[in-house]
Amino acid sequence: VEQLVALLRRVPETSGRRQVTGTGAIDPGRLAQAIEQGEVHCLFQPKVSLTGRRMIGVEALARWRSPEFGVVPPNLFIPLAERAGLIDRLTWCVLRQALGSFRRWRAACPDMTLAVNLSPLSLTGLSLPEQVSEALAEAGVPAASLVLEVTEGAMMGDFVMAADILTRLRIRGVKLSIDDFGTGHSSLLSLMRLPFSELKIDQSFVRTSLTDPEAPKMIRAIVSIARELDLQLVAEGIETADIAALMQHLGCVVGQGFLFAAPLSGADIEMRLKDCTWVDEARG
Ligand code: C2E
Ligand code: MG
Ligand code: MG
Ligand code: MG
């Protein structure tokens, strides 16, 4: 429970509403209904080039705005969706909505990418690559603009199946990203064998980079792995200018975090899209 409470405190956009402290009380049928009735939507967090403060992409992050529970964070309802067999429905709901918003932004910034998170459980169905292609065609978004983020854990189950699905996605042109790198047990072997395009350093390394003397060494090592394997490197969870400067100094080119922007509504993203050279003016 303490862990859950700590978790909830980290969610910035949870406002005055009653907060949910666990999903035990939520009926999976209620979540199914919520997905159906459009209570699940996405926010978008910019991925920013550390050198030019340019928005190079956005990551869709799911939110459930429920009349009875308030804003339920994804760390609570995604595990519930996974347990209740609703995760595919949730993934399609997020993917369709995100692509629908993203298609409108492409005119202003054609090079921008859209990232969507995939549950490890989605890497067990061979129909996934086909369905992703259909959703892209429906939205009129090129496959190369989509990045699917999977955590290292996705490769821990049936590796052969996961590798098969990821390879099929890559052949269709979709980019693949390793999320929360450094927290799982994934081996360099799986990294090198699979067609990933991006690697995201987990927030825990980024957050401790100024205080833990070992952290910069780790980050340097990750930077050189990414260079060798030709992966775009993203530092997650950058909250201060000092950490952004350190990450840049260590050779990391792209960052994401509250320093640049919290997850934003689609309308807010649209406002910040001017010329694709968006800078948070409040911070100079
Ligand atoms: P993630 O994909 O690693 O996303 C990053 C999380 O860190 C987001 O939390 C984001 O709001 C938060 N974050 C970003 N910058 C900062 C920062 O500077 N400081 C701190 N403390 N936090 C920051 P969020 O939105 O609560 O999502 C949590 C996780 O839930 C995501 O982690 C992802 O694994 C999962 N998730 C979110 N949406 C979806 C989805 O549509 N499908 C699936 N399968 N998982 C999702
Ligand atoms: Mg992610
Ligand atoms: Mg992450
Ligand atoms: Mg995470």
Side-chain angles (χ1 to χ4, degrees):
V1 174
E2 259 164 40
Q3 229 174 337
L4 275 172
V5 171
L7 232 152
L8 284 162
R9 278 209 192 96
R10 283 187 8 220
V11 178
E13 68 272 22
T14 304
S15 53
R17 279 221 143 120
R18 189 155 73 86
Q19 293 190 340
V20 187
T21 50
T23 46
I26 301 175
D27 166 19
R30 179 63 193 90
L31 179 57
Q33 187 190 30
I35 296 169
E36 215 92 312
Q37 295 180 345
E39 289 173 21
V40 175
H41 66 285
C42 19
L43 297 180
F44 301 89
Q45 187 180 35
K47 289 183 183 172
V48 177
S49 85
L50 293 176
T51 41
R53 298 293 200 256
R54 208 173 138 263
M55 176 154 63
I56 61 146
V58 290
E59 176 179 3
L61 294 160
R63 295 291 180 270
W64 173 14
R65 199 174 292 279
S66 120
E68 68 273 45
F69 306 118
V71 178
V72 186
N75 286 332
L76 291 181
F77 69 85
I78 281 160
L80 175 66
E82 288 173 337
R83 282 199 305 274
L86 294 168
I87 191 64
D88 283 341
R89 264 193 257 177
L90 186 85
T91 302
W92 297 119
C93 168
V94 170
L95 187 69
R96 289 234 154 72
Q97 281 187 47
L99 283 170
S101 301
F102 181 74
R103 71 181 299 177
R104 297 197 305 269
W105 306 335
R106 289 198 61 247
C109 296
D111 296 335
M112 202 168 84
T113 56
L114 169 70
V116 173
N117 292 281
L118 270 192
S119 161
L121 292 185
S122 300
L123 294 184
T124 54
L126 270 180
S127 56
L128 181 81
E130 176 90 44
Q131 286 175 300
V132 168
S133 289
E134 276 168 21
L136 284 164
E138 205 176 282
V141 171
S145 300
L146 181 66
V147 181
L148 293 175
E149 297 189 4
V150 294
T151 52
E152 298 175 70
M155 268 77 68
M156 299 300 290
D158 185 345
F159 179 85
V160 174
M161 177 63 101
D164 189 351
I165 294 169
L166 291 172
T167 305
R168 286 169 197 247
L169 283 164
R170 187 67 196 113
I171 287 169
R172 286 165 188 264
V174 174
K175 295 200 178 100
L176 304 169
S177 170
I178 307 172
D179 207 346
D180 302 349
F181 182 72
T183 58
H185 303 86
S186 94
S187 59
L188 281 174
L189 205 67
S190 49
L191 245 183
M192 287 187 286
R193 276 208 217 138
L194 295 174
F196 287 106
S197 308
E198 182 183 88
L199 193 159
K200 301 182 79 176
I201 310 180
D202 189 65
Q203 317 198 352
S204 53
F205 293 110
V206 175
R207 198 166 306 127
T208 56
S209 58
L210 280 176
T211 47
D212 178 354
E214 298 299 317
K217 292 182 200 163
M218 282 290 297
I219 291 165
R220 268 207 192 87
I222 297 173
V223 166
S224 59
I225 290 170
R227 280 212 187 110
E228 286 300 320
L229 300 179
D230 201 21
L231 299 169
Q232 168 165 282
L233 193 61
V234 180
E236 299 192 274
I238 297 183
E239 293 183 356
T240 69
D242 286 350
I243 289 181
L246 176 63
M247 287 299 142
Q248 202 184 327
H249 173 75
L250 293 173
C252 186
V253 180
V254 180
Q256 220 179 341
F258 296 163
L259 172 68
F260 310 114
L264 302 168
S265 70
D268 282 341
I269 291 286
E270 230 153 287
M271 274 181 0
R272 293 179 188 225
L273 270 176
K274 309 168 219 142
D275 309 328
C276 308
T277 50
W278 156 80
V279 177
D280 190 343
E281 268 132 36
R283 295 187 163 93

